[in-house]
Amino acid sequence: MNKKRHKDSFKIGNEVIELGERKKAYLDVAALLDYTKLRIPIEVIRGKEKGPVLFISAAIHGDEVNGVEITKRLLQRKILKKIKGTLLVIPVVNIFGFNNQSRYLPDRRDLNRCFPGHVKGSLGSRLAHTFMKEIVSKCTHGIDLHTGAIHRSNLPQIRACLDDQQTSDLAQCFGVPVVLHSKLRDGSLREAARKRKVCTLLFEGGEALRFEESVIKAGVNGCLSVMQYIGMLPEAKKVLGKNKKSVYVSKGSYWTRATHSGSFRAKKKLGDQVKAGDLLAVISDPFGDNPYSVYSKYEGIVIGISKIPLVTQGDAMFHIATFRNSGKVKEAMTSFDEELT
Ligand SMILES: [Zn+2]
């Protein structure tokens, strides 16, 4: 009996979580300058039966707080009592950045470029190493929640390497209309997880330091859809992902940059469909003289936008994903928005 309990135990940090238990665990990382200990908090929910092991992480960039709200709301869902397998929720991975409302670590490193990390590396490298060892290495699947950078807003979207069929299926079941095929980024959690054969999605939506209700709802629903798809939760119409047919995959995207410096008035917003040569914005000097028009290069959907109406020549203004038929994507997004309200 004891031997069996031991075999099925799940250890994380100093906690042991048995089948059917729900517990908080903590990962010790470096202390602050005044010796205050900093720990990454984790909630572990284990079903009575074994099954997939999924991690859902947020705020690897410390100012991307939408994901923190997504995990908070997910953890309140009663349906989690029906879990089969193990769910690991890490609402704040970059605890240093989160406490400072910053994307970065105290040494200005980007934690999402430090993976898989090393036990004797920099602070970020050590933190990444601990995360890989204590979380990722024990998982079968992962979802990493992000937002746009500060003053840049993203349409809810999944980014994943779709060359892998399992990842592609998972990306489509998340239920947001736009899936961006994204090659792996060196040093990212997603890349390190994939190397360990942990099928991982990256969710993007909204902007840093803001809660956006539609993005939060899309994130919560998406996480539940993935859990149903991999067999962690029973299928229920109420939380089931959107129709797979209305998911559109983009294999390419481009940024439109400011042709001149000045302030600009945007003519398109997130989710808008654009044709090649459409007017995106007008840049001018403070008198309104010397206006310059910014046009789209190719047909697509606006998936990212700069929220600061001031640009210096060369600044990124609109991120546009290209599709074979962006008219249909626009249609799918309209019905998606209606479902979320
Ligand atoms: Zn991010």
Side-chain angles (χ1 to χ4, degrees):
M1 179 71 188
N2 277 342
K3 204 176 169 189
K4 186 168 178 290
R5 270 177 70 89
H6 184 70
K7 186 165 73 72
D8 290 337
S9 298
F10 193 90
K11 190 169 182 295
I12 197 154
N14 294 322
E15 285 300 333
V16 175
I17 306 104
E18 304 292 347
L19 288 172
E21 282 189 333
R22 178 171 178 159
K23 267 190 190 174
K24 292 208 175 58
Y26 297 90
L27 294 182
D28 284 323
V29 288
L32 293 175
L33 303 180
D34 65 358
Y35 284 28
T36 304
K37 277 190 179 172
L38 274 193
R39 308 180 301 171
I40 300 176
I42 303 159
E43 186 143 355
V44 185
I45 304 174
R46 298 198 72 200
K48 289 189 181 115
E49 271 182 80
K50 289 211 259 182
V53 185
L54 170 72
F55 77 83
I56 302 178
S57 57
I60 203 164
H61 292 132
D63 59 355
E64 297 183 359
V65 297
N66 258 338
V68 182
E69 183 66 11
I70 291 169
T71 53
K72 186 197 278 185
R73 291 202 201 170
L74 182 72
L75 287 169
Q76 310 296 320
R77 290 296 185 101
K78 289 200 178 90
I79 198 170
L80 298 186
K81 284 187 181 144
K82 296 182 179 172
I83 274 183
K84 187 178 158 189
T86 302
L87 175 67
L88 303 167
V89 177
I90 311 98
V92 184
V93 180
N94 180 359
I95 40 178
F96 297 94
F98 185 70
N99 278 291
N100 291 311
Q101 299 181 10
S102 160
R103 176 183 176 88
Y104 301 105
L105 291 164
D107 61 1
R108 302 292 296 165
R109 275 192 170 87
D110 182 333
L111 178 56
N112 211 24
R113 302 287 178 274
C114 295
F115 283 83
H118 192 276
V119 72
K120 289 189 174 168
S122 66
L123 170 64
S125 183
R126 288 172 194 224
L127 207 159
H129 174 79
T130 302
F131 195 86
M132 291 301 291
K133 185 171 148 242
E134 292 283 347
I135 312 255
V136 178
S137 68
K138 296 166 186 168
C139 290
T140 54
H141 300 81
I143 303 172
D144 191 26
L145 304 169
H146 287 253
T147 76
I150 194 159
H151 303 308
R152 282 215 193 135
S153 192
N154 281 334
L155 191 74
Q157 60 195 267
I158 288 290
R159 293 184 186 175
C161 182
L162 304 175
D163 294 339
D164 174 55
Q165 191 56 46
Q166 202 198 353
T167 309
S168 172
D169 291 346
L170 210 61
Q172 301 204 30
C173 88
F174 197 91
V176 286
V178 172
V179 174
L180 197 60
H181 174 58
S182 162
K183 295 227 167 71
L184 295 165
R185 198 181 268 265
D186 208 20
S188 71
L189 166 60
R190 184 161 62 96
E191 184 192 36
R194 184 179 141 102
K195 281 189 179 153
R196 298 269 179 113
K197 303 213 174 339
V198 180
C199 180
T200 304
L201 299 181
L202 189 146
F203 172 76
E204 276 278 353
E207 63 178 299
L209 296 175
R210 298 282 180 273
F211 280 172
E212 274 149 281
E213 195 56 30
S214 62
V215 173
I216 291 162
K217 281 182 181 164
V220 173
N221 289 343
C223 290
L224 290 169
S225 294
V226 167
M227 290 172 76
Q228 288 171 347
Y229 184 79
I230 63 177
M232 286 186 86
L233 285 178
E235 297 216 350
K237 268 190 184 158
K238 235 177 151 182
V239 291
L240 190 64
K242 312 298 169 295
N243 191 345
K244 207 173 163 178
K245 275 189 292 188
S246 61
V247 175
Y248 292 89
V249 174
S250 169
K251 296 247 172 177
S253 69
Y254 66 96
W255 275 97
T256 304
R257 296 186 176 276
T259 48
H260 296 79
S261 301
S263 59
F264 75 89
R265 192 186 303 168
K267 300 288 184 184
K268 297 286 178 191
K269 57 184 190 312
L270 273 186
D272 277 354
Q273 182 193 0
V274 297
K275 300 241 160 43
D278 273 1
L279 180 63
L280 298 177
V282 178
I283 305 173
S284 70
D285 68 18
F287 300 102
D289 296 334
N290 303 314
Y292 294 100
S293 298
V294 179
Y295 300 101
S296 60
K297 275 190 232 158
Y298 313 105
E299 180 177 348
I301 298 284
V302 180
I303 59 163
I305 199 162
S306 168
K307 299 293 285 274
I308 301 184
L310 308 173
V311 280
T312 304
Q313 187 183 49
D315 280 352
M317 295 174 73
F318 296 87
H319 190 196
I320 298 171
T322 52
F323 296 88
R324 285 224 177 105
N325 187 345
S326 47
K328 282 200 169 169
V329 187
K330 177 70 190 160
E331 229 172 83
M333 274 186 320
T334 309
S335 57
F336 172 71
D337 284 345
E338 281 162 6
E339 277 178 63
L340 291 176
T341 50

